[in-house]
């Protein structure tokens, strides 16, 4: 199964992807995560990408499109994948559709998690990363980290949580949300492009889910729509 998952930054799409990966064993491809890995390792691509990711801007298509197309062609993707964070503009959407058609690996599912911009912004400003991957967010009581001395720790595993560079900077958050909600050249227009492509293909399952619900409610809605 090949799944595309969309949702504003902070909508919980990473969390839902992780839940789907656990359930299905599909390979999770997260464009932002690939850039962060490269930056951590100090590769040329990582250094180049960091100048954009730190400011919340899109890494140029010449870098991002081949990186994702190549990643999807690796052997661990042969049995399916969940793609999270790509496409984010109409040209990425077109390039993806074309690559999948050429490779005869059509898309099976499109999931769109919908969330109002102001809710997404509050969540981004509260988001924290746990070293064991537990979701943490000071803006969501059910998964709020707890204070221990002068640091915040994960309520589940008691490990100190960290905050991503691009989540500290309010300006970078606004840039990311502007890109997402841009109906001309941003992610919302990429979603519309994918959905209009899917409209003529009855075997593509398009799922819309309200991102205001809690993690479990959203994952149950997605599972029900997938018949799992
Ligand atoms: P978020 O969804 O919270 O913004 P991500 O981890 O998905 O975070 O992405 C982090 C950053 O990586 C983005 O702000 C952008 O700079 C870069 N990035 C991720 N996906 C893409 C993409 N498809 N095209 C260009 N840049 C991307």
């Amino acid at each position: 199964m090949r799944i595309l998952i969309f949702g504003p930054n902070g909508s919980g799409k990473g969390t839902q992807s992780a839940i789907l990966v656990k359930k299905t064993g599909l390979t999770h491809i997260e464009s932002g995560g690939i850039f962060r890995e490269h930056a951590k390792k100090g590769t040329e691509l990582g250094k180049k990408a960091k100048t954009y990711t730190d400011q919340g801007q899109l890494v140029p298509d010449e870098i991002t499109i081949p990186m994702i197309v190549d990643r999807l062609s690796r052997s661990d993707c042969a049995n399916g994948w969940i793609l999270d964070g790509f496409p984010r503009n109409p040209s990425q959407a077109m390039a993806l559709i074309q690559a999948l058609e050429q490779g005869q690996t059509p898309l099976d599912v499109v999931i769109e998690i919908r969330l109002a911009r102001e809710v997404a912004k509050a969540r981004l400003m509260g988001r924290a990363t746990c070293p064991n991957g537990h979701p943490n967010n000071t803006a969501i009581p059910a998964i709020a980290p707890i204070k221990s001395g002068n640091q915040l720790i994960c309520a589940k595993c008691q490990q100190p949580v960290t905050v991503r560079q691009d989540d500290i900077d309010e300006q970078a958050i606004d840039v990311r949300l502007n890109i997402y909600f841009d109906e001309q050249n941003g992610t919302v227009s990429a979603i519309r492009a994918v959905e209009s492509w899917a409209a003529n293909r009855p075997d593509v399952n398009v799922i819309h889910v309200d991102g205001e619900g809690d993690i479990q409610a959203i994952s149950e809605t997605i599972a029900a729509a997938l018949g799992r």
Side-chain angles (χ1 to χ4, degrees):
M1 189 159 45
R2 284 171 288 270
I3 304 178
L4 214 51
I5 185 162
F6 291 106
N9 330 63
S11 64
K13 79 180 149 53
T15 304
Q16 294 302 329
S17 302
I19 293 172
L20 274 171
V21 164
K22 253 199 185 151
K23 271 192 198 155
T24 61
L26 295 170
T27 299
H28 184 195
I29 310 293
E30 190 201 358
S31 50
I34 301 177
F35 289 131
R36 281 188 290 280
E37 272 297 304
H38 274 279
K40 213 158 85 187
K41 288 187 195 147
T43 67
E44 273 315 302
L45 189 151
K47 281 184 216 154
K48 232 184 248 171
K50 201 170 178 336
T51 60
Y52 299 93
T53 57
D54 278 354
Q55 292 172 41
Q57 264 146 15
L58 289 190
V59 178
D61 285 351
E62 310 83 89
I63 299 175
T64 309
I65 292 174
M67 179 184 88
I68 294 295
V69 171
D70 169 69
R71 184 66 193 85
L72 294 178
S73 71
R74 305 241 186 108
S75 59
D76 62 346
C77 286
N79 291 325
W81 39 257
I82 300 173
L83 182 54
D84 162 1
F86 186 95
R88 289 195 189 206
N89 61 30
S91 53
Q92 293 184 0
M94 289 308 152
L96 179 68
I97 288 171
Q98 204 179 21
L100 296 181
E101 282 180 346
Q102 264 169 15
Q104 295 183 322
T105 50
L107 212 54
D108 300 294
V109 181
V110 179
I111 301 171
E112 182 189 358
I113 303 177
R114 292 182 168 161
L115 192 66
R117 183 186 172 119
E118 54 280 16
V119 181
K121 180 166 177 177
R123 288 194 185 173
L124 279 178
M125 300 198 67
R127 183 158 77 169
T129 306
C130 154
N132 294 314
H134 300 126
N136 269 267
N137 199 309
T138 56
I140 306 173
I143 54 168
I146 47 185
K147 227 176 164 196
S148 168
N150 59 359
Q151 62 183 2
L152 288 174
I153 60 169
C154 172
K156 261 221 162 117
C157 66
Q158 278 72 51
Q159 294 300 310
V161 297
T162 52
V163 178
R164 266 167 51 175
Q165 194 58 40
D166 54 347
D167 286 346
I168 293 170
D169 183 346
E170 187 171 352
Q171 216 177 335
I173 287 177
D174 285 332
V175 172
R176 280 147 73 205
L177 289 171
N178 285 344
I179 293 170
Y180 189 87
F181 288 100
D182 179 349
E183 293 181 19
Q184 302 308 316
N185 205 28
T187 310
V188 165
S189 54
I191 300 172
R192 299 303 155 246
V194 172
E195 286 184 347
S196 62
W197 168 86
N200 305 320
R201 289 166 180 81
D203 42 346
V204 183
N205 188 358
V206 178
I207 302 167
H208 293 124
V209 45
D210 177 3
E212 287 264 13
D214 65 29
I215 293 172
Q216 201 186 337
I218 295 174
S219 79
E220 280 167 8
T221 306
I222 293 173
L226 290 175
R228 286 174 177 257

